[in-house]
Amino acid sequence: MPKIAVLPGDGIGQEIIPQAVRVLKAVLAETDAEFEFQDYPIGGAAIELVGKALPDETLQGCREADAVLLGAVGGHQWDHLPASERPETAALLGLRKGLNFYANIRPVRMIPSLLATSTLKENVLDGVDMVVIRELTGGVYFGEKGRSDNPRSAYDKMTYSEEEIRRILIQGFETAMLRSKKLCSVDKANVLETSRLWREIANELAKEYPEVELTHMYVDNAAMQLVRNPKQFDVIVTENMFGDILTDLASMLGGSIGMLSSASLSGTQGMYEPAHGSAPDIAGKNLANPLATILSAALMLRYSFGMEAEALRIESAVEKVLEQGYRTGDLAQAGDKVVGTIEMGDAVLAAL
Amino acid sequence: MPKIAVLPGDGIGQEIIPQAVRVLKAVLAETDAEFEFQDYPIGGAAIELVGKALPDETLQGCREADAVLLGAVGGHQWDHLPASERPETAALLGLRKGLNFYANIRPVRMIPSLLATSTLKENVLDGVDMVVIRELTGGVYFGEKGRSDNPRSAYDKMTYSEEEIRRILIQGFETAMLRSKKLCSVDKANVLETSRLWREIANELAKEYPEVELTHMYVDNAAMQLVRNPKQFDVIVTENMFGDILTDLASMLGGSIGMLSSASLSGTQGMYEPAHGSAPDIAGKNLANPLATILSAALMLRYSFGMEAEALRIESAVEKVLEQGYRTGDLAQAGDKVVGTIEMGDAVLAAL
Ligand SMILES: CC(C)[C@H](C(=O)O)[C@@H](O)C(=O)O
Ligand SMILES: CC(C)[C@H](C(=O)O)[C@@H](O)C(=O)O
């Protein structure tokens, strides 16, 4: 029986995960598939419980699972910890590296009924439909870092091996093959040696994918173009730090970060989580938007279990409730039906 | 007599610089000040002339000048060069490091008559008025970099010393003191050691500027917030690479990258240039927008020569021509008076 490790985490993670699990179970109930769901502690909740943001038991549970469903981690209670030991950093980076989730995939699609919510003009956003692929286990995130004293100085090393670059670019090319065969590789090859290697390998791989039109764009320009004319993009692939920045930025093109789902793949396993954080300010109040988590559950069915029809069922249900005017507070405009986290879950279930 | 080194460079640089020089001369003619203008080759033009993107004569001329006015560098003719030797990289990084222009200042202000041009909704942009301060001579731009073979790998080292961080943060605090006393320092302290040192020093300096309200924001969130709610920002200060990305992004908040001016300061000298590139596709056609360069000339009067009244005169003239409906092609909407580069210069002169 396929196993799903469920990691609610902190803050609104505790509220959005149950909604996604409900939706998953409802969809699975109508298939022959039987899944085992097992909860594990992570983040601040795990620090309180066992003194570690990523307990061994959790890491082990995730290793043995077929897929991981993650809520959100972190909160102001742990602000006193050194930044690198805070729950979000320790838990997320530990999970990514520990399970080798090197390919982070974030689909950004403008749902027409959210156009009014966005800060970009409707004609700029209408029709936006792209995938941003971020390398997740290399670069400056995991390079050597250090500090000197008297006078103080610090360094972080951005490193990439051929192998690390190849496998994420292949993910980019393969994704492009399934879509409109346009791949935009984002780097800073005019400044970085890692980017020059990246670009070299991208150009080599392009020969193996003659149908894909590969373009290169500098990261500064990409940030601008995402706002200037987002519809020019179909599949974007980039390294870890640039991807961190560009995916958060791109979330604004899907209406709100509250809508952005993500899949992190290792080749054998997948981890699925909303792109937003634990939002401590609204936690415990039934105010959080569960849609990015529900959409992440759809990605799980698609990428980890090949259940495309079921994934689409969830995605259509989400579109339908938005069309019906249901909104959590983060997306609400005058005239909308403002609902809480649980009620939004109810609405999606009803719309399945 | 104060000396201004004028570096038109490539592409539209050759067209926009003459307009800025005309405007400068017109404003200076009505004061007692006499300035010497001296042209120097840079970029691709200099490669053709003397085989080097940044000739020694140019660097020396800039050293002896009080201020440098730079157009734009680069073009497709030099695409065959390795990325690090292309005119824009070699010339710009060489000038910045060679003359120690460590503080890059880019004011982003939404001019009301450009609201229609922007891709963001008018209520989101109306009233945007911020300054982005970017560290320009440190970080991953100038750290050690290298390559190995078999298998290939590459690295770039991001380094910052206490001194480098202090002086740019002081620029941030001082700028905040002259404005609304709000400073947002952008870093990635949850991942980078350089950012942790940055944040530490920012917090120390905050004690010397008790009137300034210092906040910290992660760069991924900052990219999103610039699009979600740009009016929350007044002064942003950040390191080199993050600044590269965020300033290009922020240019969209001023209507267009064609409006974004910049000043790069060393403490004793200043270099002034538009944030946009050499736009080879429209070069030589009298189509380029000279306003960012003209606004950069205004920054020169303000920062290098303390001529605040004259700077404001230029800035008001630019606002006036935009209000009158004059637009170069990049900004044009139905109903605007579309003019060429020279005619836009004429209009600004007339509006002075
Ligand atoms: C919490 C942080 C370490 C993380 C990152 O930078 O990758 C987050 O911003 C993300 O994008 O998942
Ligand atoms: C041309 C390039 C090296 C430069 C940079 O990255 O600094 C440019 O993008 C800029 O912002 O002036």
Side-chain angles (χ1 to χ4, degrees):
Chain A
M1 195 181 334
K3 279 190 198 157
I4 301 178
V6 179
L7 282 48
D10 305 315
I12 61 170
Q14 298 284 345
E15 295 163 82
I16 55 184
I17 283 289
Q19 300 312 316
V21 170
R22 275 173 83 196
V23 171
L24 265 181
K25 287 188 173 164
V27 168
L28 292 171
E30 294 178 33
T31 70
D32 293 337
E34 286 198 59
F35 284 70
E36 192 186 313
F37 292 82
Q38 174 74 51
D39 276 27
Y40 296 95
I42 194 165
I47 294 185
E48 304 311 317
L49 218 58
V50 298
K52 266 177 93 170
L54 179 58
D56 300 341
E57 175 219 0
T58 300
L59 194 58
Q60 192 50 32
C62 292
R63 267 214 185 92
E64 287 163 11
D66 296 278
V68 178
L69 184 65
L70 177 66
V73 267
H76 298 305
Q77 304 96 295
W78 304 285
D79 277 355
H80 65 279
L81 293 174
S84 58
E85 289 167 32
R86 293 209 187 118
E88 62 278 25
T89 310
L92 294 181
L93 300 190
L95 262 179
R96 292 172 190 169
K97 199 71 178 176
L99 276 78
N100 197 27
F101 289 126
Y102 66 84
N104 182 240
I105 300 181
R106 301 197 193 177
V108 177
R109 209 160 66 78
M110 189 66 219
I111 296 180
S113 49
L114 285 183
L115 278 169
T117 315
S118 165
T119 59
L120 276 90
K121 287 182 181 159
E122 310 208 348
N123 64 323
V124 176
L125 283 191
D126 196 12
V128 160
D129 183 352
M130 70 178 96
V131 177
V132 186
I133 301 179
R134 166 186 175 194
E135 201 289 324
L136 207 55
T137 54
V140 78
Y141 274 68
F142 296 99
E144 193 191 312
K145 40 194 90 241
R147 197 52 112 89
S148 304
D149 279 314
N150 285 319
R152 286 172 290 180
S153 68
Y155 70 91
D156 295 277
K157 207 165 156 188
M158 183 183 271
T159 63
Y160 268 108
S161 72
E162 177 165 356
E163 171 54 23
E164 285 172 323
I165 296 174
R166 272 185 72 87
R167 64 184 182 181
I168 190 73
L169 282 168
I170 288 174
Q171 183 78 47
F173 279 103
E174 293 289 338
T175 308
M177 285 297 287
L178 296 175
R179 295 176 49 104
S180 70
K181 300 185 175 157
K182 281 174 55 185
L183 177 63
C184 179
S185 168
V186 172
D187 65 30
K188 186 76 190 177
N190 48 354
V191 173
L192 302 181
E193 195 60 38
T194 43
S195 285
R196 294 195 265 273
L197 179 58
W198 179 282
R199 202 175 269 220
E200 205 172 291
I201 295 172
N203 288 333
E204 290 165 13
L205 279 170
K207 297 191 192 114
E208 296 173 32
Y209 293 92
E211 287 169 71
V212 175
E213 184 202 318
L214 171 70
T215 54
H216 301 281
M217 194 179 276
Y218 294 138
V219 61
D220 46 335
N221 190 28
M224 181 172 83
Q225 295 297 336
L226 279 169
V227 177
R228 207 187 66 84
N229 176 19
K231 278 183 261 184
Q232 72 188 281
F233 296 106
D234 193 64
V235 182
I236 292 177
V237 62
T238 193
E239 66 88 43
N240 204 346
M241 171 69 74
F242 297 157
D244 180 45
I245 299 171
L246 295 185
T247 49
D248 262 40
L249 173 56
S251 74
M252 296 311 297
L253 309 174
S256 153
I257 187 127
M259 294 301 300
L260 191 64
S261 60
S262 87
S264 302
L265 308 178
S266 71
T268 53
Q269 283 183 302
M271 174 163 76
Y272 303 87
E273 57 177 315
H276 60 70
S278 60
D281 48 317
I282 59 161
K285 298 182 183 156
N286 194 39
L287 289 173
N289 180 355
L291 294 178
T293 317
I294 291 171
L295 290 170
S296 300
L299 293 181
M300 171 187 291
L301 295 181
R302 171 171 298 127
Y303 290 118
S304 281
F305 303 109
M307 299 172 77
E308 179 63 25
E310 287 75 13
L312 283 173
R313 245 187 104 193
I314 297 180
E315 288 164 351
S316 312
V318 167
E319 263 190 64
K320 195 143 102 196
V321 301
L322 290 169
E323 258 160 48
Q324 290 165 345
Y326 290 99
R327 301 280 188 278
T328 42
D330 56 320
L331 299 176
Q333 305 257 313
D336 290 329
K337 295 176 206 137
V338 181
V339 295
T341 311
I342 297 172
E343 294 70 32
M344 187 58 111
D346 293 342
V348 175
L349 273 181
L352 275 175
Chain B
M1 190 175 348
K3 279 189 196 157
I4 301 179
V6 180
L7 282 48
D10 305 315
I12 61 170
Q14 298 284 342
E15 296 163 80
I16 55 183
I17 282 290
Q19 300 313 315
V21 170
R22 275 171 85 196
V23 171
L24 264 181
K25 286 187 173 164
V27 168
L28 292 171
E30 294 177 34
T31 69
D32 293 336
E34 285 199 60
F35 283 70
E36 192 186 312
F37 292 82
Q38 173 74 50
D39 275 29
Y40 295 95
I42 194 165
I47 294 185
E48 303 311 317
L49 218 59
V50 299
K52 266 177 91 168
L54 180 58
D56 299 342
E57 175 217 0
T58 300
L59 194 58
Q60 192 51 31
C62 292
R63 268 216 183 89
E64 287 163 10
D66 296 278
V68 178
L69 184 65
L70 177 66
V73 268
H76 297 307
Q77 303 97 293
W78 304 284
D79 276 354
H80 64 280
L81 294 174
S84 58
E85 289 167 32
R86 293 211 186 117
E88 61 280 25
T89 310
L92 294 181
L93 300 192
L95 263 178
R96 291 172 190 170
K97 199 70 180 177
L99 276 80
N100 196 26
F101 289 128
Y102 66 84
N104 182 240
I105 298 181
R106 301 197 193 177
V108 176
R109 210 159 65 78
M110 189 65 220
I111 298 182
S113 49
L114 285 183
L115 279 170
T117 314
S118 165
T119 58
L120 276 89
K121 287 183 181 157
E122 311 209 346
N123 65 322
V124 176
L125 284 191
D126 196 13
V128 161
D129 183 352
M130 69 178 97
V131 176
V132 186
I133 301 179
R134 167 186 174 193
E135 201 289 326
L136 207 56
T137 54
V140 77
Y141 275 68
F142 296 98
E144 195 191 313
K145 39 192 90 248
R147 195 57 108 90
S148 305
D149 279 315
N150 285 321
R152 287 172 290 179
S153 68
Y155 70 91
D156 295 277
K157 208 166 156 187
M158 184 183 269
T159 62
Y160 268 107
S161 71
E162 175 164 358
E163 170 54 23
E164 286 171 323
I165 296 174
R166 272 186 73 88
R167 64 184 182 181
I168 191 72
L169 283 169
I170 287 174
Q171 183 78 46
F173 279 103
E174 292 289 339
T175 307
M177 284 298 288
L178 296 174
R179 295 176 49 104
S180 71
K181 301 188 175 153
K182 279 175 54 184
L183 177 63
C184 178
S185 168
V186 172
D187 65 30
K188 186 76 189 175
N190 47 355
V191 173
L192 303 180
E193 195 60 39
T194 44
S195 285
R196 294 194 266 270
L197 179 58
W198 179 284
R199 201 174 269 219
E200 202 173 293
I201 296 173
N203 288 332
E204 288 165 17
L205 278 169
K207 297 192 192 115
E208 297 173 33
Y209 293 91
E211 287 169 71
V212 175
E213 184 202 319
L214 170 71
T215 54
H216 301 281
M217 195 180 275
Y218 294 138
V219 60
D220 46 335
N221 189 28
M224 181 174 84
Q225 294 298 335
L226 279 168
V227 176
R228 208 185 66 85
N229 177 18
K231 279 184 260 184
Q232 72 189 282
F233 296 107
D234 193 65
V235 182
I236 292 177
V237 62
T238 192
E239 67 86 44
N240 204 347
M241 171 69 73
F242 296 157
D244 181 45
I245 300 170
L246 294 186
T247 50
D248 262 40
L249 173 58
S251 74
M252 297 312 297
L253 309 174
S256 154
I257 187 126
M259 294 302 300
L260 191 65
S261 59
S262 87
S264 301
L265 309 177
S266 71
T268 53
Q269 284 183 301
M271 174 163 76
Y272 303 87
E273 57 176 315
H276 60 71
S278 60
D281 48 315
I282 60 161
K285 298 183 181 153
N286 194 39
L287 289 173
N289 180 356
L291 294 180
T293 317
I294 291 172
L295 290 171
S296 299
L299 293 182
M300 172 188 289
L301 295 181
R302 170 171 300 127
Y303 289 118
S304 280
F305 304 110
M307 298 172 77
E308 179 64 25
E310 287 75 11
L312 283 174
R313 246 187 104 193
I314 297 179
E315 289 165 350
S316 311
V318 167
E319 263 190 64
K320 196 142 100 193
V321 301
L322 290 170
E323 259 161 46
Q324 290 164 346
Y326 290 100
R327 300 282 187 279
T328 42
D330 57 320
L331 299 177
Q333 303 258 313
D336 290 328
K337 296 175 205 139
V338 181
V339 296
T341 311
I342 297 173
E343 294 70 33
M344 187 58 109
D346 293 343
V348 175
L349 274 181
L352 276 173

